Amino acid sequence: MQQFTQKYAIIQLFEDMPVGTQFSSNNWPLHATVVDTFAINWDVSGMTTKLDRLLTTYAPVRTIVGDDRFFGDQGQTRVALLENTDDLAKLHNDVIDVLEQGDWRPNDPQFAKEG
């Protein structure tokens, strides 16, 4: 069985950033997480091609920013939760449906799909 070593997350940035911008895992730019951290049995090019096919026709998704919560090993990361609207849930599930074709393996499955 192949061991996955790469890790990805699918996010929507709220500010434009140049392609190739790098940031540390403890200093993310403002974003919404569409799919939390995962491994997959695809290379980056194959994965982005498949996601591009899905997302190029997607309409904007609207939601409402809710309460702040604190996450992380020691509750050190402040997060504003988004209301889980039908459109946001559909986007999340549609992206996961594509990723599952590549043997998607979430780090935290409790945050995927209905979680």
Side-chain angles (χ1 to χ4, degrees), residues 1 4 14 20 25 35 48 63-66 73 80 82 88 101:
M1 180 164 142
F4 301 131
F14 291 125
S25 61
V35 179
T48 55
T63 189
I64 297 168
V65 178
D73 296 337
L82 299 179
L88 188 59
Q101 298 168 29

Side-chain angles (χ1 to χ4, degrees), residues 28 30-31 66-72 75-81:
W28 287 64
L30 187 59
H31 69 280
D67 295 333
D68 287 357
R69 298 272 174 84
F70 288 86
F71 292 92
Q76 73 279 9
T77 305
R78 182 176 164 190
V79 174
L81 298 180

Side-chain angles (χ1 to χ4, degrees), residues 50-63:
K50 288 167 180 55
L51 290 171
D52 189 52
R53 277 190 220 128
L54 169 70
L55 298 172
T56 55
T57 60
Y58 234 87
V61 172
R62 297 189 187 278
T63 189

Side-chain angles (χ1 to χ4, degrees), residues 8 10-11 14 17 22 31 33 46-47 52 60 62 67 78 82 84 95 105:
Y8 303 101
I10 308 295
I11 64 171
F14 291 125
M17 298 183 97
Q22 296 184 17
H31 69 280
T33 302
M47 180 175 61
D52 189 52
R62 297 189 187 278
D67 295 333
R78 182 176 164 190
L82 299 179
N84 192 16
V95 170
R105 304 283 173 101

